[in-house]
Amino acid sequence: MLYPGRSICLPAQARRPPPTTVRTITSTTVTITIPPPTVASAPPGVPVPARTSVDEALRIIRDVWPPELHSEAIRIASRESRLQSNVRNACCIGLFQIHFEAHRRWLATQGVTMPEQLLDAATNVRVALALHLRSGGWGPWGL
């Protein structure tokens, strides 16, 4: 899976599908850089929670997630958002980059009815744990 702000390397033997002729890529690697998530904005009248500090984000994760899952939860949130609570990309929102549209119905059962609610660090962390438990693991984050 590709994540914003990350680079990937393709093997030297990687090839593009040719339009009519075969082309071999001769470089040893190809680097693709995906831009980092953007700072969130909200519709008029909907407040955007203030960005949580990295220390506060770590505290919230440790308060919400069970101790045996702390390390992996912190690793995932670091990978997904760089522990920034106020980020979103084309589809995902907050610390754990929750996909609002994909989980809209289920999120409503968690009290989340607007995407902007996922910008609140405590809400995002709580929902991420519920999603982890609901799915039986780290599958929603591609693991």
Side-chain angles (χ1 to χ4, degrees), residues 16-24:
R16 284 184 162 186
T20 54
T21 61
V22 175
R23 264 180 35 167
T24 303

Side-chain angles (χ1 to χ4, degrees), residues 37-53 56-57 60 80-81 83-100 107 111-128:
T38 58
V39 174
S41 61
V46 177
V48 174
R51 178 176 172 220
T52 304
S53 71
E56 181 68 7
I60 293 168
E80 295 294 315
S81 68
L83 294 170
Q84 296 179 47
S85 61
N86 67 336
V87 296
R88 68 188 321 162
N89 62 29
C91 67
C92 302
I93 304 168
L95 283 171
F96 281 87
Q97 290 291 281
I98 307 291
H99 193 306
F100 180 80
L107 284 167
V112 176
T113 57
M114 295 176 21
E116 292 74 26
Q117 289 175 274
L118 293 171
L119 295 169
D120 175 70
T123 299
N124 195 283
V125 170
R126 176 183 56 80
V127 168

Side-chain angles (χ1 to χ4, degrees), residues 66-78:
E68 65 274 12
L69 298 176
H70 285 174
S71 294
E72 191 63 7
I74 290 168
R75 189 183 77 74
I76 296 294
S78 297

